[in-house]
Amino acid sequence: MVSVPTLWVVFLVNFLALALVWTYVQRSYPNFGAARFWTAGAYLATLGAAISMLRGLVDPLIPIIFGSGLMFFACWLGVMGMQRFYGRPVSWTLSLSVTALAVAGMVMFQLWDDMAMRIFIYSLGQSLTLVVTLRLLLSQADARGNPGARLAGAVAAIGIVVHAVRSGVALLHFDGDVGFIEFNGFQAAMMLVLVFLSMVWNFGFLLMAIDRLRGEVADLALVDDLTGIANRRHLLRRLSEECVLSQRTGEPFALLAIDLDGFKEINDGFGHGAGDECLRLFTRAAQSRLRPGDTLARSGGDEFCIVLPATTLREGAMIARHVLETCRESFVRWEGKSIPIAASIGVAQWSLLVGAHPERLIAAADQALYAAKKEGKNRFAVYEPAPSLAPELEREAAHLASLLKTG
């Protein structure tokens, strides 16, 4: 026979270790809302295990009401953490109601002195949390791609089976009766399995948190802090993808290279705060004239680029004209003064000469941008290479493209 208090010591050490891990995660990432639920759940489970260790030392109703009650609610906090993780409403009413009903059932069968039914009620209450967890994971399209979610789902399914077997064996009195202080060998083994599953369940949550935080860090690495649009790294990645696609299909796309006119004078005359506001205003103005699928990126201090998929040079020029028209109507209000927004834009189109080399397209758009600057700024210019610059190279590139299409 294995002492029940001894098993609860194992529970206590397990949950305390998990609580410390979740505390570190919560303090390191305070905006990660799910971690607060999982941290609270681990601490409540630790306290519930500590109270449950008092079996045989205090009135039996105390470890049943407070120990088991805290364990029930700790599991529901784990479920609510997953709901918050996936942006679902947190079910406080359901969690508190089921916890109260489970505790009431255990108290009733304690008064009737039916240990088998108490095990059944305890297993049923715990299984409900696992069923909700499994249902939530199965409803998420991205859960299969998340290792932590798969692990949590597998543990939930196994836990449901273990609880069903444990309660069924108790009701059938297999391997002898179960006492309040002493478990038989089978029930002790089931309890140890549940301890292990609770650890793995929390490890699944931890993997989910790591995967989510890693994704957020990756997204931040591709976003400009000031304007919230794509940064240069994201721009180069997008250009490379479009070049590869155009090289495979032969469909062109356009690139706009943009430089704000007089930006240095704005910073010198009004301060960098005014300059930052001009950058943000231009971003909003440009985005208002873009189509779904177009990408606006900040490539430098006051330099921007716009990637226009499936767009010809003429269509790119039209979009450049629309962006300039919107900018001319935009003003930054700063310390009682109006600061106009002006920009020069260079337009270039992907060609076979560009191939899979986005830097060539950037150079072509920059060349058109310089031409717009020389013509008086606050305008756009297009890059149109002379057909006689490299006829042999063009023919070779066209032949290669045709081979790729037929292949």
Side-chain angles (χ1 to χ4, degrees), residues 29 50 72 81 87 164 236 270 277 281 306 310 325 328 349 357 368:
Y29 305 97
F72 280 130
L236 294 176
F270 296 93
E277 187 57 33
L281 179 60
I306 301 178
E325 291 172 352
R328 290 165 185 158
Q349 175 187 299
H357 304 283

Side-chain angles (χ1 to χ4, degrees), residues 121-143:
I121 295 296
Y122 183 86
S123 297
L124 179 61
Q126 296 279 12
S127 296
L128 286 176
T129 63
L130 299 177
V131 169
V132 175
T133 298
L134 196 57
R135 181 179 178 183
L136 179 61
L137 289 173
L138 292 176
S139 67
Q140 301 300 314
D142 60 340

Side-chain angles (χ1 to χ4, degrees), residues 10-165:
V10 178
F11 271 99
L12 186 148
V13 174
N14 163 56
F15 290 125
L16 181 59
L18 291 172
L20 294 176
V21 171
W22 280 118
T23 299
Y24 175 80
V25 174
Q26 183 185 0
R27 291 177 63 89
S28 300
Y29 305 97
N31 294 327
F32 185 56
R36 292 194 292 271
F37 289 92
W38 292 332
T39 302
Y43 277 113
L44 285 185
T46 302
L47 181 58
I51 296 175
S52 297
M53 289 172 56
L54 301 176
R55 295 189 180 203
L57 301 177
V58 298
D59 188 311
L61 291 180
I62 293 178
I64 289 177
I65 294 175
F66 297 101
S68 298
L70 289 174
M71 295 293 292
F72 280 130
F73 194 63
C75 290
W76 279 108
L77 284 172
V79 174
M80 287 189 284
M82 293 197 68
Q83 291 171 335
R84 177 60 60 85
F85 182 86
Y86 286 114
R88 298 292 187 88
V90 175
S91 54
W92 286 99
T93 302
L94 176 64
S95 304
L96 292 171
S97 300
V98 174
T99 299
L101 288 174
V103 171
M106 293 189 68
V107 169
M108 181 178 65
F109 287 107
Q110 169 62 26
L111 296 177
W112 288 355
D113 194 22
D114 192 334
M115 185 64 183
M117 284 302 298
R118 287 202 303 273
I119 291 177
F120 173 76
I121 295 296
Y122 183 86
S123 297
L124 179 61
Q126 296 279 12
S127 296
L128 286 176
T129 63
L130 299 177
V131 169
V132 175
T133 298
L134 196 57
R135 181 179 178 183
L136 179 61
L137 289 173
L138 292 176
S139 67
Q140 301 300 314
D142 60 340
R144 294 183 179 182
N146 188 312
R150 293 200 304 269
L151 180 60
V155 169
I158 296 173
I160 293 170
V161 174
V162 172
H163 279 299
V165 171

